[in-house]
C-alpha cells in the first residue's frame, strides 16, 4: 500500500465527518420553521416580515453546514495532500 | 504490509510490538479523556439552574436568598457525576491498578478504556439534576413558604436520577479494581 | 493489500457518516410539524399560510441533509479517488 | 482474503452508521405526535386538519431517515465497490 | 483468519450501530406520552381522540427505529456478503 | 488467533453499542413521568386516566430500547456467526 | 496474542459502551424531579399523588439503564464467549 | 509508507472532526431565527431592533464554528507537521 | 515511520476533537440571541441593559470553546511532545 | 518505535477528548445568558441581583469544563507517564 491510498481513505472518512456539522442547521432551521408557522397563524397580516426574518435567520444558521460541505469538497476534489 | 486479510491482524500485530504496560498506559490516557466528557452534563444542567435562578430572583427579589440557596444546593447535587468522572480520571492517571500487572496487554488496556467510556453515563444525571435544580429554584421563588417540601421532592427526584451514574461508576471500578478477566 | 480496496472501504464508512447529518432535519422538521399542527388547531382559517410557512421552513431545513446525501453518493458512485 | 472482504466489512459498518440518521425523525415525529395530541384535546372539532398537518409535517421529517436507509441498502445490496 | 470472519465481525458491530437509531423514537414517543397524559388530564372527555392521535403519531415515529432493526437483522441473518 | 475470536470480540462491542439505544426511552419516559406528575397535581381527580395514558405512552417508547436489548442478547447468546 | 485475550478486551470495552445508556434515565428522571418539585410547590395538598406519579414514571424510565447494566455484567461475569 | 502520509491522513480526519463544532451555531442561530420571527410578528414596529439584536447575537454564536473552520484549514493548508 | 510522525498524526486528530467543544457555545449563545431579540421586542426601552446582559452572558459561555481552541493550537504549534 | 511515542500520541487524543466536556458549560451558560437578558428586560430595577445570580450560577456551571481543561493540561505538560 502506498501513502496516497491511506491519505485518500482518510479523506473519505474526513469528508463524511465534516457533513455531520449539518445536524445543527437542520435542527435550528426546523425550529425557525415551526416558530414561523406559529407566528403567521397568530398574525397573518405580518406574514411578510415574519417569513423574511425567518429566512434571514435561517440563512445565517446555514453557514456552518456550508463550511462542512466546503471542507468535504476540498478533501474530495482539491485535496492538498494528494 | 501483506495481504489485506490482515488489516485487522496488521493493527493488532503493530500494537503487539509494545509492552503490556505501554498499551495499558496509552489506553488509560484515552480513557481519562473519555471520562471527562461526562462534564457536559453538569455544565448543561447547572447552566439551566443559573438561568432559572436569574429569572426567579428577578421576579421575586424579596426571596432572592432562598432562590439562590436552592439553586446552589441543586447545582451541587448536579456536580456529582462530574466529580465521579474527575476522580476516575485521576485514579487512571495517578494510581491505575492495571498498570504494571502481568497479563494480556490488550485486556488491561481495554479495561482502562472501558472504565473511561462507562463514566460518560454521567452526562445524564448532570443534565437532569440541573434541570431539577432550576425548577426547584423557580418554585421556591414563587412559594417560599413551601421551600422545605419543594427541596425534599427535588432531592428525592435527583437521587433517583443519579442511579445510572452510580451503575456506571461501579462498572468502571470493577474494571479497574475487581477485573474478572485478570483473576 | 491494494490501495483501492482500502479507499473503497473507507468510502463506505464515510458515506455512512455523512448520512448522520440527517438527524438535524428530522428533528427540526418534526418540530415544525408539531408547531404547524398546533397552529392550524388554533387558527384553522389560517391553515393555508401556516402550512405554506411550515413547508417553506422545512425545505430550508432539508438542505444540510441533502448535502450529506450528495457527499455519500459521490463517495459511492463518483469517487474521485477510485 | 482479498480486498473485497475489507470493503464488505466496511460496508456493513457504513450501513449501521447510516441508520443513525433515523434518530432525527424519531425525535421530531414524536414531538409532532405530542403536539398533535395536545391540539386535538383542545380543539376536537379541528381534529381533521390537525392530524393532516401533523402527518404532512411528519412525512417531510421522514425523508432524511429514508435517505439513510437507502444508502444502507445500497451498501448491502447494490454496492458499487463489490 | 479468513475473509468471512472479518465481514461477520464487522456485521456484528454494524448491527449494534444500527440499533442506536432507536434513541429517536424513544425520546419522541416519550414526549408524546407526556403531552398525551397532560392533555387527557385537561380534557378527560376527549380522551379517545387524544390517545388515538398520540398512538398514530407514535406509530409514525417508530418507523426509523424499525428501519434500524431491519438492517441489523439483515446483517445478522440475511447477510448478503457471507 | 482464529476467526471465531474476532467475531466474538466484535459481538461484545456490538452488544454494548446496541444498548445505547436505551438513551431514548430513558429521556422520553422521564419526560412523561414529569408531565404526568404535573398533570395529577393539577387534576388529581383525573389521576387514573393520566397515569394510564402516561404508562401506555411509555410502553410504546420502550420498544426501541427492547429492540436494542434483543439484538445484544442475540449477539451474545444466539450469535448466527459463531 | 491469543483469541481469549481479544474477546476479553472487547468485552471490557463493550461493558463500558453499554453503560452509556444511563444518560437517558439521568436526563429523564431529572426532568421528572424538576416537574415534581414544581408541582408540589403549586399544589402542596396533592403532594402524595404527585410524588407517587413521579416515582412510578421514573421507575419506568430506569429500565433501559438497567438493561445496559445487565449486559455489562454479563460481558464481565457471565461472558458466553470466554 | 512514510510518516508524512500518516500525518496527512490524520489531518484529513482531524479537519473533518473540527467541522462538527458547527452543529452548535446551526442550532443556536436557528433558535434565534425562530424567536426573531416570533418577535417581529408580535411587535412589527420593533422590527429594526429585534433583527439587529438577533444578528448581533448570531454573530457571537458563529465564532466557535469559525474556530473549527480555521483549525481545519490550518490542518489542510498550513499544516505545521508536514 | 518514526515515533514523531505518530505523535503528530495523533495531535492532528486531538486538535480536531478539541474543537468539538465549540458546539456548546454555539447552542448557548444562539439561545441568548433568541431570548435577547424577544426581550428587546417586548421592552425596546430596556434595549441597552438587555443587550449588555446578553453579551456578558455570551462572553461567559465562550470560555470553554476558547479552551478547546487553545488546546488545539498547543497541539499544533507548541506541542510539548514533538 | 518506542513506547513513549505511543503514550504521547494517546495523550494528544486524550487531551482533545477531555475538551469536549466544554459543550456542557457552553450550552448551560448560554441558557443562563438568555434568561438573564429576558429577566433584566422585564425587571430592569432588579438588574443587579439578576446579573449576580446569572454569573454565580454560570461560575458553578464552568467547573466541569475546567476539570476537562486541567486533565488536558496535565496530559500535555505534566504527564505522569512520560
Ligand atoms: Na451560521
Ligand atoms: Na436513575
Ligand atoms: Na438548511
Ligand atoms: Na426531511
Ligand atoms: Na418515522
Ligand atoms: Na417505540
Ligand atoms: Na424504560
Ligand atoms: Na461564540
Ligand atoms: Na464558559
Ligand atoms: Na459545575
Amino acid at each position: 500500500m502506498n501513502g496516497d491510498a491511506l491519505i485518500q481513505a482518510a479523506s473519505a472518512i474526513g469528508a463524511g465527518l465534516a457533513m455531520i456539522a449539518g445536524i445543527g442547521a437542520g435542527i435550528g432551521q426546523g425550529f425557525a420553521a415551526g416558530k414561523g408557522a406559529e407566528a403567521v397563524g397568530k398574525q397573518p397580516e405580518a406574514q411578510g416580515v415574519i417569513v423574511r426574518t425567518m429566512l434571514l435567520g435561517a440563512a445565517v444558521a446555514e453557514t456552518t453546514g456550508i463550511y462542512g460541505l466546503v471542507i468535504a469538497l476540498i478533501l474530495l476534489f482539491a485535496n492538498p495532500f494528494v | 504490509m501483506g495481504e489485506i486479510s490482515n488489516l485487522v491482524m496488521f493493527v493488532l500485530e503493530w500494537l503487539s510490538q509494545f509492552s503490556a504496560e505501554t498499551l495499558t498506559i496509552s489506553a488509560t490516557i484515552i480513557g481519562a479523556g473519555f471520562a471527562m466528557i461526562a462534564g457536559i452534563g453538569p455544565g448543561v444542567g447547572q447552566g439551566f439552574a443559573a438561568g432559572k435562578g436569574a429569572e426567579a430572583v428577578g421576579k421575586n427579589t424579596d426571596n432572592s436568598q432562598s432562590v439562590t440557596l436552592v439553586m446552589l444546593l441543586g447545582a451541587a447535587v448536579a456536580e456529582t457525576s462530574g466529580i465521579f468522572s474527575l476522580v476516575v480520571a485521576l485514579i487512571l492517571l495517578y494510581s491505575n491498578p492495571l498498570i504494571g500487572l502481568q497479563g494480556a496487554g490488550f485486556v488491561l488496556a481495554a479495561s482502562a478504556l472501558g472504565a473511561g467510556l462507562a463514566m460518560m453515563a454521567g452526562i445524564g444525571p448532570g443534565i437532569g439534576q440541573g434541570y431539577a435544580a432550576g425548577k426547584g429554584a423557580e418554585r421556591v421563588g414563587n412559594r417560599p413558604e413551601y421551600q422545605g417540601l419543594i427541596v425534599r421532592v427535588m432531592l428525592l427526584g435527583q437521587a433517583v436520577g443519579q442511579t445510572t451514574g452510580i451503575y456506571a461508576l461501579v462498572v468502571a471500578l470493577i474494571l479497574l479494581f475487581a477485573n474478572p478477566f485478570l483473576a
Side-chain angles (χ1 to χ4, degrees), chain A residues 10-24 64-75:
Chain A
S11 296
I13 290 175
L17 287 170
M19 300 318 295
I20 295 177
I23 291 177
T64 48
I66 303 272
Y67 301 165
L69 178 62
V70 168
I71 292 293
L73 292 173
I74 288 173
L75 284 169

Side-chain angles (χ1 to χ4, degrees), chain B residues 39 42-43 46 75 78-79:
Chain B
Q46 292 166 343
E79 186 81 359

Side-chain angles (χ1 to χ4, degrees), chain A residues 59-65 67:
Chain A
V60 171
E62 185 83 1
T63 58
T64 48
Y67 301 165

Side-chain angles (χ1 to χ4, degrees), chain B residues 1-175:
Chain B
M1 195 182 299
E3 280 302 303
I4 203 168
S5 77
N6 308 326
L7 185 62
V8 170
M9 292 305 296
F10 169 78
V11 171
L12 293 176
E13 275 164 25
W14 183 81
L15 286 171
S16 297
Q17 74 178 287
F18 299 101
S19 70
E21 181 167 330
T22 295
L23 286 178
T24 309
I25 289 172
S26 300
T28 290
I29 288 167
I30 291 176
F34 275 115
M36 298 319 294
I37 293 179
I40 291 176
V44 174
Q46 292 166 343
F48 178 83
K52 295 304 276 185
E55 182 179 57
V57 296
K59 278 189 194 154
N60 321 93
T61 38
D62 296 343
N63 306 332
S64 67
Q65 273 193 322
S66 29
V67 168
T68 304
L69 186 71
V70 174
M71 176 187 87
L72 289 178
L73 174 63
V77 174
E79 186 81 359
T80 316
S81 22
I83 302 273
F84 285 173
S85 282
L86 179 62
V87 168
V88 167
L90 292 173
I91 288 173
L92 282 168
L93 294 183
Y94 293 104
S95 62
N96 187 340
L98 300 174
I99 294 173
L101 282 189
Q102 296 303 309
F106 285 105
V107 178
L108 298 169
S111 296
L113 185 58
L117 289 171
M119 296 314 295
M120 285 198 288
I123 293 175
I127 296 178
Q129 292 167 341
Y131 176 84
K135 294 303 276 186
E138 178 181 59
R139 282 324 295 169
V140 167
N142 283 342
R143 306 294 291 270
E145 68 277 18
Y146 296 130
Q147 181 180 342
L149 175 61
I150 292 166
V151 169
R152 277 199 308 278
V153 175
M154 176 186 86
L155 290 176
L156 172 64
Q158 285 180 321
V160 172
Q162 186 69 51
T163 58
T164 49
I166 306 266
Y167 302 162
L169 178 63
V170 168
V171 167
L173 293 175
I174 287 173
L175 283 167

